[in-house]
Amino acid sequence: MAAAAPTPTSSLVSKPHSFANLPKLHSKFTLPFPRNPQKPNAAAAAAISHRRNLQISNVISSPNKKIQREETFVSRFAPDEPRKGSDVLVEALEREGVTNVFAYPGGASMEIHQALTRSSTIRNVLPRHEQGGIFAAEGYARASGLPGVCIATSGPGATNLVSGLADALLDSIPLVAITGQVPRRMIGTDAFQETPIVEVTRSITKHNYLVLDVEDIPRIVKEAFFLARSGRPGPVLIDIPKDVQQQMVVPNWDQPMRLGSYLSRLPRPPSGVLLEQIVRLISESKKPVLYVGGGCLNSSKELKRFVELTGIPVASTLMGLGSYPCSDEEISLQMLGMHGTVCANYSVDKSDLLLAFGVRFDDRVTGKLEAFASRAKIVHIDIDSAEIGKNKQPHVSICADIKLALDGLNSILEDRSNGGKISLDFSAWRRELKEQKTNFPLTFKTFGDAIPPQYAIQVLDELTGGNAIISTGVGQHQMWSAQFYKYNKPRQWLTSSGLGAMGFGLPAAIGAAVARPDAVVVDIDGDGSFIMNVQELATVRVENLPVKIMILNNQHLGMVVQWEDRFYKANRAHTFLGNPSDESEIFPNMLKFAEACGIPAARVTKKDDLRAAIQKMLDTPGPYLLDVIVPHQEHVLPMIPSGGAFKDVITEGDGRTKY
């Protein structure tokens, strides 16, 4: 997914000025501020501040649109009552609708945590490491579509957020990260736990702020949330010195945002002429294919309608899984790319029209760029103008919100279908692709009692009806989870796609469980990824989150081992994660980690026992850890080697074979 965001930048804040003449933002939806469920008393009623609904939009509309009706927010403070900057910050979060944060305290952020204890609206889910906190905030955002919020102290606390910020930027995840900073007078003096986090994160955030005036906090928080979720979503960092947090102020909640240049670059509604041109290309095509990515996650309904009207097969990126149901055997080709299905990659290779919606032509999808969709006319629709033509030059491009573009395409198709002006039949093309599915299905081999890791995911899919929220770490288990679990809805699939950050799975599952307490949440993890944030088991237990953890434990860094097998003559270069002095022992003992945190756990080693073990995991109330021992010789197939083309696809072999 991509956007009309400003280039990553930073702000040293100053006094605001008005942009009254800018066109108003128009949106199809709003996020109301939370209401106090209790009837306010007289003092509270006096403190009511009238607020408008936050206008969330990816496009600019004309100034004539009606403004949404006003909402009210009940403050804990009287209108003219001074309060600390930290209390202003917490109330600003409340006004943005925040109900959960993932915050780890320290010296420079203590004031914020003290203020959080005075909030009756916001719950802090205490991580055991700042990286766990930001990955949990990402999981929250990915599962809910709302911005995730994490808070850390200065210095090492702030730098521990770096991987999460980079991950959120690459995967376009709305995130607001707040860091404490040393007092203003000490900035630049190499003070204790001082890190210039604004400079450190400049290139891995959509925008960031260093707050130098306590009066700017209301405006900055408003801008940060707007930036995080408008256009191409992404992470925004707010760095607040401790003395600003402690400063007393009467806040002005009606300050206008100062985002003139950003607003002017947000894309307009899609051109009707270009949409007509796309419909004409579809009508002339014989072998079209949809290539959909994370940009389509908020447009699943419109995408399904487009497919109903056209019958065009759908191939998804790793980020796009769930935007169209993977269980639709007729239309879904599942994932394309390096470890995508043969039929998905075949469809792109043979297509005459590639409809690239909400994607960025990532190298793990395209392989050799010159050979990717070399026979096809390419239509690229994306919200980020920077992505259009960056890697692959399209024949037709539209910089717009994909939801609006699909709405427009659907309207044209419906009108023409009803008028008898267009009749689309791609059944012969779908039969050709079905033959590829039949000839090259996703499959695996079984060796004795050993548990094929693919089978474990297949059984989990069956027992959960394909309805669980799945998070993963990074590696072989991640690719098998993408291949063998059938995602039918958006926001079921949480994984670090662009950055590929190991240790993502468990904290992301925590965030998902907080955001979606009604859902079954399963972290499918590898032993290497799991141990990178194993400390978050303590958070799972203390918060009593019903997170299920299924570790595919092969005692190796599996994906690197696969590359060693294929390209380095199976020479093991520090990829064995067990105990070299006793390779027959399962090391470390994952069950002991679970026991230390009071989480029920079990280990399964035989295929015949697997189904019952997974069922027990799902049936056990609260958290549960299942250690599934799998062979390390398994390879993720199909595989197109890095920089290769469809003709180079590998469909056979594993670590038991010499290359």
Side-chain angles (χ1 to χ4, degrees):
M1 174 163 80
T7 53
T9 184
S10 310
S11 292
L12 298 181
V13 301
S14 57
K15 294 294 180 184
H17 58 274
S18 174
F19 287 96
N21 295 325
L22 283 173
K24 296 182 177 71
L25 286 168
H26 172 62
S27 174
K28 291 190 175 182
F29 64 98
T30 56
L31 287 184
F33 295 111
R35 302 183 184 215
N36 191 328
Q38 299 175 346
K39 186 175 180 180
N41 56 31
I48 287 179
S49 169
H50 291 282
R51 302 285 297 160
R52 296 192 187 280
N53 262 359
L54 178 64
Q55 305 296 304
I56 305 170
S57 177
N58 292 329
V59 297
I60 297 293
S61 70
S62 74
N64 301 326
K65 299 292 183 182
K66 291 182 179 178
I67 295 297
Q68 300 288 331
R69 64 186 176 85
E70 291 194 352
E71 293 288 339
T72 58
F73 177 86
V74 181
S75 175
R76 296 188 299 281
F77 299 91
D80 58 350
E81 181 182 355
R83 76 288 313 254
K84 286 185 174 183
S86 57
D87 285 301
V88 176
L89 173 68
V90 169
E91 183 167 324
L93 294 177
E94 292 172 346
R95 288 169 179 264
E96 292 297 330
V98 174
T99 56
N100 295 279
V101 297
F102 302 87
Y104 197 87
S109 63
M110 284 178 63
E111 290 285 352
I112 300 172
H113 282 263
Q114 290 296 311
L116 284 170
T117 66
R118 295 189 282 272
S119 172
S120 60
T121 304
I122 298 177
R123 164 196 184 189
N124 180 36
V125 178
L126 179 67
R128 266 44 181 186
H129 190 286
E130 290 91 353
Q131 186 183 90
I134 194 167
F135 282 164
E138 270 200 89
Y140 182 94
R142 290 173 189 257
S144 68
L146 302 172
V149 180
C150 61
I151 304 173
T153 191
S154 63
T159 57
N160 279 339
L161 301 180
V162 165
S163 292
L165 291 169
D167 188 63
L169 187 71
L170 279 168
D171 287 355
S172 305
I173 305 302
L175 193 74
V176 175
I178 299 167
T179 52
Q181 183 54 277
V182 299
R184 286 171 292 183
R185 68 184 182 280
M186 298 173 68
I187 292 176
T189 67
D190 294 333
F192 176 67
Q193 289 194 335
E194 181 194 359
T195 298
I197 198 63
V198 163
E199 300 304 319
V200 169
T201 63
R202 189 185 298 278
S203 62
I204 55 169
T205 51
K206 186 174 175 180
H207 196 67
N208 57 23
Y209 296 90
L210 173 61
V211 183
L212 297 178
D213 188 337
V214 69
E215 292 183 3
D216 288 321
I217 291 175
R219 173 181 60 81
I220 287 173
V221 172
K222 189 192 307 182
E223 288 181 8
F225 277 84
F226 182 83
L227 288 167
R229 55 191 157 196
S230 63
R232 178 180 186 170
V236 179
L237 181 133
I238 305 173
D239 195 30
I240 311 180
K242 187 168 184 177
D243 60 326
V244 174
Q245 300 170 35
Q246 294 170 327
Q247 196 172 346
M248 302 298 287
V249 69
V250 176
N252 174 11
W253 297 110
D254 295 317
Q255 300 176 51
M257 293 192 296
R258 300 175 58 235
L259 297 173
S261 61
Y262 174 74
L263 292 172
S264 69
R265 293 199 302 274
L266 283 173
R268 268 61 180 177
S271 161
V273 173
L274 290 175
L275 295 178
E276 293 272 3
Q277 189 176 350
I278 294 170
V279 171
R280 179 176 60 79
L281 288 173
I282 292 171
S283 67
E284 294 171 353
S285 171
K286 300 295 183 187
K287 297 182 176 183
V289 65
L290 273 159
Y291 157 36
V292 301
C296 292
L297 290 176
N298 290 332
S299 312
S300 180
K301 179 182 174 183
E302 292 78 10
L303 179 63
K304 288 178 188 174
R305 180 59 182 153
F306 180 79
V307 171
E308 286 174 12
L309 292 166
T310 62
I312 297 175
V314 179
S316 297
T317 67
L318 188 65
M319 278 294 298
L321 288 171
S323 55
Y324 188 83
C326 292
S327 58
D328 185 342
E329 295 289 340
E330 178 71 14
I331 295 293
S332 176
L333 307 175
Q334 297 181 247
M335 186 173 69
L336 81 164
M338 177 178 281
H339 293 295
T341 63
V342 169
C343 65
N345 288 320
Y346 174 93
S347 73
V348 173
D349 188 61
K350 303 298 182 186
S351 69
D352 59 11
L353 178 64
L354 183 69
L355 300 173
F357 290 176
V359 297
R360 58 187 181 90
F361 290 88
D362 175 70
D363 62 291
R364 285 295 171 104
V365 167
T366 63
K368 187 178 180 181
L369 271 169
E370 299 80 11
F372 183 76
S374 58
R375 300 172 175 84
K377 292 178 180 177
I378 296 175
V379 173
H380 192 184
I381 303 177
D382 200 276
I383 203 166
D384 187 355
S385 59
E387 294 295 348
I388 294 174
K390 184 178 80 173
N391 294 326
K392 191 80 174 175
Q393 196 63 42
H395 296 77
V396 178
S397 64
I398 298 177
C399 180
D401 183 344
I402 190 66
K403 182 187 284 283
L404 299 181
L406 283 169
D407 266 339
L409 289 170
N410 291 343
S411 294
I412 295 169
L413 289 165
E414 287 167 354
D415 290 345
R416 294 195 177 181
S417 296
N418 294 336
K421 296 179 182 178
I422 190 171
S423 179
L424 303 175
D425 182 7
F426 302 118
S427 56
W429 172 228
R430 292 196 299 271
R431 283 196 298 272
E432 182 179 338
L433 296 178
K434 190 171 185 178
E435 186 177 335
Q436 290 295 314
K437 284 186 182 182
T438 303
N439 293 340
F440 300 99
L442 288 173
T443 187
F444 53 87
K445 296 177 181 177
T446 300
F447 295 88
D449 288 338
I451 300 172
Q454 306 94 322
Y455 176 68
I457 296 163
Q458 201 173 67
V459 171
L460 179 68
D461 179 45
E462 292 172 14
L463 294 179
T464 58
N467 292 318
I469 293 175
I470 303 295
S471 71
T472 73
V474 170
Q476 287 182 315
H477 70 276
Q478 176 191 30
M479 294 297 103
W480 285 319
S481 299
Q483 291 176 338
F484 287 90
Y485 199 95
K486 300 296 184 288
Y487 303 95
N488 293 318
K489 298 174 185 175
R491 309 203 174 281
Q492 269 189 272
W493 167 242
L494 321 177
T495 196
S496 174
S497 300
L499 189 66
M502 292 176 66
F504 180 83
L506 179 57
I510 289 172
V514 172
R516 303 270 298 276
D518 56 324
V520 176
V521 179
V522 183
D523 168 29
I524 302 176
D525 230 326
D527 48 314
S529 279
F530 175 72
I531 206 168
M532 283 198 173
N533 271 314
V534 67
Q535 76 283 341
E536 299 308 323
L537 284 175
T539 303
V540 171
R541 177 70 283 168
V542 169
E543 298 289 339
N544 198 30
L545 298 171
V547 172
K548 313 300 181 184
I549 304 155
M550 187 171 81
I551 301 173
L552 302 181
N553 190 345
N554 64 7
Q555 296 284 281
H556 287 74
L557 200 55
M559 188 60 86
V560 185
V561 165
Q562 177 170 332
W563 282 55
E564 286 176 339
D565 288 341
R566 294 281 177 177
F567 311 118
Y568 294 89
K569 298 180 180 179
N571 181 48
R572 295 289 175 259
H574 320 118
T575 48
F576 177 60
L577 300 180
N579 183 358
S581 65
D582 186 1
E583 294 190 13
S584 63
E585 174 195 14
I586 302 300
F587 178 88
N589 188 340
M590 303 298 180
L591 306 187
K592 294 293 185 182
F593 287 132
E595 181 185 346
C597 293
I599 293 175
R603 175 177 292 157
V604 58
T605 60
K606 296 182 179 179
K607 184 183 178 186
D608 290 346
D609 300 331
L610 179 67
R611 184 175 293 269
I614 293 177
Q615 188 65 64
K616 182 179 179 182
M617 174 185 76
L618 296 171
D619 290 343
T620 301
Y624 192 95
L625 185 148
L626 181 63
D627 192 22
V628 182
I629 308 303
V630 299
H632 73 273
Q633 296 94 339
E634 293 297 321
H635 284 186
V636 180
L637 298 173
M639 177 184 182
I640 298 176
S642 182
F646 175 67
K647 65 180 178 61
D648 304 313
V649 65
I650 299 168
T651 58
E652 292 289 337
D654 56 26
R656 301 170 183 88
T657 307
K658 289 187 177 180
Y659 302 95

